[in-house]
Amino acid sequence: MIYFVAYDITDKKRLPKVSKILSNYGIRIQFSFFECELKKSQMEQLKTDLLAVIDKKKDSLNIYPLCTDCVKQVQSIGTGALFIPQSFEIL
């Protein structure tokens, strides 16, 4: 399943840690926005990794699932496009 992950991290020390974690799971679309194609187990691991870093009282983390039917309806205007990798390896 494809997920969009958006975040707002208030601490400059936590910010690069969150970014690095997400870059291991997906593609950066904008500064605080990643697109990830993950299996359920990978999504659970991503949440575990992120929860170990963020401060739930100060930071914001939003995960938006995008179902298969929704992917077919995505409209890209301009230079942006939905990236759907054929395979993705977590390093």
Side-chain angles (χ1 to χ4, degrees):
M1 178 173 279
I2 293 178
Y3 297 89
F4 290 139
V5 182
Y7 60 90
D8 184 16
I9 307 301
T10 59
D11 182 86
K12 292 183 181 188
K13 291 180 182 178
R14 287 193 306 273
L15 183 60
K17 292 177 184 178
V18 169
S19 178
K20 178 150 178 58
I21 290 168
L22 282 163
S23 68
N24 287 329
Y25 287 90
I27 303 298
R28 183 186 300 273
I29 303 301
Q30 292 189 1
F31 186 73
S32 298
F33 195 79
F34 278 77
E35 182 182 320
C36 308
E37 184 175 19
L38 304 171
K39 296 176 184 173
K40 185 176 180 178
S41 61
Q42 292 171 310
M43 173 48 69
E44 293 305 316
Q45 185 60 52
L46 172 58
K47 287 193 289 188
T48 299
D49 294 348
L50 291 170
L51 286 170
V53 174
I54 69 166
D55 182 334
K56 292 194 294 185
K57 293 180 181 178
K58 298 179 181 179
D59 300 331
S60 171
L61 178 65
N62 296 295
I63 301 170
Y64 304 95
L66 193 60
C67 70
T68 304
D69 289 337
C70 295
V71 169
K72 294 174 186 175
Q73 297 179 46
V74 170
Q75 298 179 26
S76 297
I77 300 170
T79 60
L82 184 64
F83 176 75
I84 302 174
Q86 298 304 312
S87 65
F88 195 85
E89 183 177 335
I90 298 175
L91 304 174

